[in-house]
């Protein structure tokens, strides 16, 4: 007001003779202008009036951020609508129309407000909502585009969380514009308070869910900040360059929920017990495969096969008088220290020569590894080192720059069971993921590296064991139309994998493209077959015409 008082003083001195009544009217106009909250930088704020406000409201209406009439009065609803627009465009949600906000508002490609969502809705925008709820740990269920009871509960939990943060949000379970704006705001932070050892509750569960998503933990979030959670939190701090405290504070949370938050290639080690699942188990299994102790491909469960592989390894290390072989006293449990020895240590590979006519455990070990590397048919992994095994070993030796004498001596075995072993490389490689229900096609480049060329949604066996896991080499094209007499259906573009298991298209009731079975099409992406790998007609045709006979197929 000092500024306006100075102005009035100047007017009095210059226009004192115009009459008191006119002077008072002029002064009132000046004071009225002073009361309109237009910022010094030209921004429009609460209480502002005029054509500029009206034009701004009309644009907010056009983009569905504001439902009220454009009356030229900057009220509470206009401010809330403007804040929602700002959040959607990564601007500070001040509710004031500054220069940056107005520039973004009038851009032709300004993003419209997402529609309000409620239980019963479906579609891509519901899936996007579910994805954001999962990101912050409020939704544990699938992102399926269906706004059901679990999504409604997750929205309500998020709204309660917002209320705890001081936001004026009602926990209705319906995703209104305000809820959507906060959930989609890239600068939103869910921090409420520091979380540390022995803390419990939903905030801890959400923290664990995010650490699991980023690869620092595995298992299910339990809601208790235990020793394992502390170790995972410390690992995340290390990845972010934060002090290693194991405490999830404000800065920790800010980094944890960023889209570009650092990920961990492996979860923090934990003691593994038979029956456990997860990436740590898979990592140990892959190491046992590399050592020739485990046959097939790495799974995610600590099962009988893994226990037997550990037993073989224990016997191998004992025979070679390795001083820590006695750590395998209870093969149903694997300590963190033993895991580190397996993963980091240079384990002795060679025990005895293997060649034509060899039998038993050492021959079987070499065969397992040759199959894993794509040189030996899985049916030849039988513990009898015959001509097929010798041929496979020679192929390995040639590919790895060794003398191809077909004899696995110390030099060959040290490379065969080591990290630098060169696998058999066919022009294409196909990988079927039973977990993802997708088939991935990789093409070999001139640099000798495989690159993903095509991803195909598929349907594998309805039961997990119906589609065999493993490395399959004797593959190739069969028929463009194949009749499955047992099930009275047809498939297109059959491509042999193993036994009676093959790639083929979705099903047809007759040898007619118009007779496609709509159910088999709808089930793509889910387990549905009797063991074969079903693909869309387009993908089955591409695979049939592109991948030559003998392409390595890995089912895992």
């Amino acid at each position: 007001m000092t500024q306006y008082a100075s102005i009035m003083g100047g007017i009095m001195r210059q226009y004192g003779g115009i009459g008191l009544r006119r002077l008072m009217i002029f002064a009132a106009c000046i004071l009225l202008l002073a009361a309109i909250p237009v910022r010094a930088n030209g921004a429009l704020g609460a209480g502002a009036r005029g054509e500029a406000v009206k034009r701004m409201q009309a644009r907010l209406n056009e983009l569905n951020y504001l439902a009220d009439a454009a009356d030229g009065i900057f009220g509470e609803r206009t401010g809330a609508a403007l804040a929602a627009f700002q959040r959607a465009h990564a601007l500070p949600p001040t509710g004031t129309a500054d220069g940056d906000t107005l520039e973004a508002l009038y851009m032709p490609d300004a993003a419209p407000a997402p529609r309000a969502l409620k239980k019963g809705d479906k579609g891509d925008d519901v899936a996007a909502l579910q994805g954001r709820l999962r990101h912050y740990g409020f939704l544990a269920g699938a992102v399926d585009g269906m706004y059901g009871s679990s999504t409604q509960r997750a929205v309500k939990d998020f709204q309660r969380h917002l209320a705890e943060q001081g936001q004026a949000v009602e926990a209705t379970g319906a995703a209104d514009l305000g809820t959507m704006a906060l959930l989609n705001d890239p600068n939103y932070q869910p921090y409420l308070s520091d979380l540390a050892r022995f803390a419990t509750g939903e905030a801890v569960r959400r923290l664990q869910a995010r650490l699991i998503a980023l690869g620092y933990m595995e298992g299910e979030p339990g809601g208790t900040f235990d020793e394992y959670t502390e170790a995972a939190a410390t690992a995340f701090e290390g990845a972010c360059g934060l002090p290693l405290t194991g405490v999830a504070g404000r800065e920790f949370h800010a980094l944890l929920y960023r889209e570009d938050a650092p990920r961990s290639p492996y979860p923090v080690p934990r003691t593994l017990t038979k029956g456990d699942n997860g990436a740590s188990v898979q990592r140990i299994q892959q190491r046992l495969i590399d050592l020739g102790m485990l046959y097939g491909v790495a799974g995610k469960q600590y099962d009988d096969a893994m226990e037997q592989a550990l037993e073989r390894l224990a016997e191998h290390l004992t025979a070679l008088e390795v001083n820590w072989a006695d750590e395998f006293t209870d093969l149903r449990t694997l300590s963190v220290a033993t895991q580190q020895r397996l993963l980091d240590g240079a384990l002795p590979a060679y025990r005895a020569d293997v060649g034509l006519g060899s039998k038993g455990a050492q021959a079987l070990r070499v065969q397992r590894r040759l199959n894993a590397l794509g040189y030996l048919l899985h049916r030849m992994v039988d513990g009898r080192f015959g001509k097929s095994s010798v041929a496979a070993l020679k192929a390995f030796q040639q590919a790895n720059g060794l003398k191809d004498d077909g004899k696995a001596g110390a030099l060959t075995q040290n490379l065969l069971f080591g990290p630098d072993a060169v696998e058999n490389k066919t022009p294409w490689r196909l990988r079927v993921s039973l977990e993802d229900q997708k088939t991935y096609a990789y093409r070999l480049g001139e640099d000798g590296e495989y690159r993903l060329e095509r991803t195909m949604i598929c349907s594998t066996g309805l039961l997990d064991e119906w589609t065999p896991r493993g490395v399959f080499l004797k593959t190739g094209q069969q028929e463009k139309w194949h009749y499955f007499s047992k099930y009275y259906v047809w498939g297109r573009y059959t491509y042999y994998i193993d036994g009676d298991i093959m790639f083929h298209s979705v099903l047809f009731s007759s040898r007619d493209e118009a007779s496609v079975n709509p159910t088999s099409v709808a089930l793509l992406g889910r387990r549905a077959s009797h063991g074969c790998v079903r693909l869309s007609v387009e993908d089955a045709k591409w695979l049939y015409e592109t991948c030559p006979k003998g392409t390595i197929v890995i089912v895992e």
Side-chain angles (χ1 to χ4, degrees), residues 303-326:
D303 54 10
D304 289 342
M306 178 171 166
E307 184 181 6
Q308 292 162 7
L310 288 170
E311 186 177 349
R312 297 183 194 107
L313 178 60
E315 191 274 333
H316 177 75
L317 295 176
T318 300
L320 294 174
E321 299 182 346
V322 175
N323 59 9
W324 54 277
D326 58 358

Side-chain angles (χ1 to χ4, degrees), residues 90-112:
L91 296 167
T94 61
T96 298
D98 57 14
D100 290 340
T101 299
L102 292 172
E103 181 180 356
L105 183 65
Y106 294 114
M107 290 290 288
D109 58 351

Side-chain angles (χ1 to χ4, degrees), residues 177-331:
L177 183 59
T179 299
M180 297 281 282
L182 287 163
L183 189 61
N184 293 319
D185 183 357
N187 298 313
Y188 169 72
Q189 295 298 333
Y191 174 81
L192 275 175
S193 61
D194 289 2
L195 298 174
R197 188 76 178 276
F198 308 118
T200 60
E202 283 300 301
V204 175
R205 187 194 62 76
R206 291 192 295 269
L207 174 85
Q208 291 169 328
R210 181 61 175 159
L211 287 170
I212 290 169
L214 292 173
Y216 293 89
M217 294 181 68
E218 56 186 345
E220 296 296 324
T224 298
F225 203 113
D226 54 14
E227 183 180 2
Y228 184 45
T229 305
E230 184 178 63
T234 303
F236 179 75
E237 288 175 321
C240 294
L242 297 174
L244 305 182
T245 65
V247 177
R250 185 180 295 276
E251 186 177 6
F252 182 104
H253 278 81
L255 294 170
L256 185 68
Y257 291 100
R258 284 173 58 116
E259 294 291 345
D260 60 350
R263 295 180 174 272
S264 176
Y266 306 110
V268 171
R270 60 190 174 96
T271 299
L272 297 177
T273 305
K274 192 173 180 181
D276 280 349
N277 289 276
S280 293
V281 171
Q282 189 174 35
R283 192 180 180 199
I284 294 297
Q285 287 190 357
Q286 186 57 58
R287 180 65 169 138
L288 291 169
I289 290 169
D290 293 345
L291 293 169
M293 301 298 172
L294 181 63
Y295 168 73
V297 294
K300 288 190 175 182
Q301 185 176 39
Y302 194 155
D303 54 10
D304 289 342
M306 178 171 166
E307 184 181 6
Q308 292 162 7
L310 288 170
E311 186 177 349
R312 297 183 194 107
L313 178 60
E315 191 274 333
H316 177 75
L317 295 176
T318 300
L320 294 174
E321 299 182 346
V322 175
N323 59 9
W324 54 277
D326 58 358
E327 291 185 11
F328 293 95
T329 52
D330 183 0
L331 296 174

Side-chain angles (χ1 to χ4, degrees), residues 120-433:
D121 288 339
K122 59 182 69 175
D124 291 342
D125 47 0
V126 175
L129 167 71
Q130 292 171 325
R132 296 301 293 168
L133 289 167
R134 277 186 66 90
H135 176 80
Y136 289 113
F138 290 93
L139 179 67
V143 176
D144 58 5
M146 307 287 288
Y147 201 128
S149 297
S150 60
T151 302
Q152 184 184 50
R153 284 193 299 271
V155 170
K156 187 174 288 188
D157 288 342
F158 177 65
Q159 290 168 331
R160 289 189 183 114
H161 182 77
L162 292 174
E164 287 186 70
Q165 289 184 306
Q167 300 282 351
V169 176
E170 185 180 355
T172 63
D176 58 17
L177 183 59
T179 299
M180 297 281 282
L182 287 163
L183 189 61
N184 293 319
D185 183 357
N187 298 313
Y188 169 72
Q189 295 298 333
Y191 174 81
L192 275 175
S193 61
D194 289 2
L195 298 174
R197 188 76 178 276
F198 308 118
T200 60
E202 283 300 301
V204 175
R205 187 194 62 76
R206 291 192 295 269
L207 174 85
Q208 291 169 328
R210 181 61 175 159
L211 287 170
I212 290 169
L214 292 173
Y216 293 89
M217 294 181 68
E218 56 186 345
E220 296 296 324
T224 298
F225 203 113
D226 54 14
E227 183 180 2
Y228 184 45
T229 305
E230 184 178 63
T234 303
F236 179 75
E237 288 175 321
C240 294
L242 297 174
L244 305 182
T245 65
V247 177
R250 185 180 295 276
E251 186 177 6
F252 182 104
H253 278 81
L255 294 170
L256 185 68
Y257 291 100
R258 284 173 58 116
E259 294 291 345
D260 60 350
R263 295 180 174 272
S264 176
Y266 306 110
V268 171
R270 60 190 174 96
T271 299
L272 297 177
T273 305
K274 192 173 180 181
D276 280 349
N277 289 276
S280 293
V281 171
Q282 189 174 35
R283 192 180 180 199
I284 294 297
Q285 287 190 357
Q286 186 57 58
R287 180 65 169 138
L288 291 169
I289 290 169
D290 293 345
L291 293 169
M293 301 298 172
L294 181 63
Y295 168 73
V297 294
K300 288 190 175 182
Q301 185 176 39
Y302 194 155
D303 54 10
D304 289 342
M306 178 171 166
E307 184 181 6
Q308 292 162 7
L310 288 170
E311 186 177 349
R312 297 183 194 107
L313 178 60
E315 191 274 333
H316 177 75
L317 295 176
T318 300
L320 294 174
E321 299 182 346
V322 175
N323 59 9
W324 54 277
D326 58 358
E327 291 185 11
F328 293 95
T329 52
D330 183 0
L331 296 174
R332 295 169 301 176
T333 301
L334 207 58
S335 70
V336 171
T338 304
Q339 292 175 58
Q340 290 302 127
R341 291 185 192 275
L342 284 174
L343 296 170
D344 301 335
L347 299 183
Y350 175 76
R351 184 169 163 187
D353 284 1
V354 173
L356 182 64
S358 295
K359 297 180 181 179
Q362 295 310 305
L364 195 55
R365 181 171 169 242
V366 172
Q367 288 175 327
R368 290 191 198 101
R369 183 61 172 149
L370 287 171
N371 171 255
L373 291 171
Y375 292 97
L376 183 66
L377 290 174
H378 73 101
R379 296 176 185 223
M380 301 298 178
V381 181
D382 57 6
R384 297 188 296 272
F385 213 81
K387 292 181 179 180
S388 295
S389 297
V390 170
L393 182 59
K394 285 184 176 182
F396 168 80
Q397 290 171 325
Q398 291 168 2
N400 286 267
L402 298 170
K403 181 181 178 181
D404 57 343
D405 57 5
K407 181 179 177 181
L411 185 61
T412 293
Q413 288 193 38
N414 285 332
L415 185 55
L416 180 67
F417 299 116
D420 298 323
V422 175
E423 62 189 353
N424 183 17
K425 294 184 176 181
T426 52
W428 288 88
R429 176 166 291 208
L430 298 168
R431 183 171 67 87
V432 180
S433 171

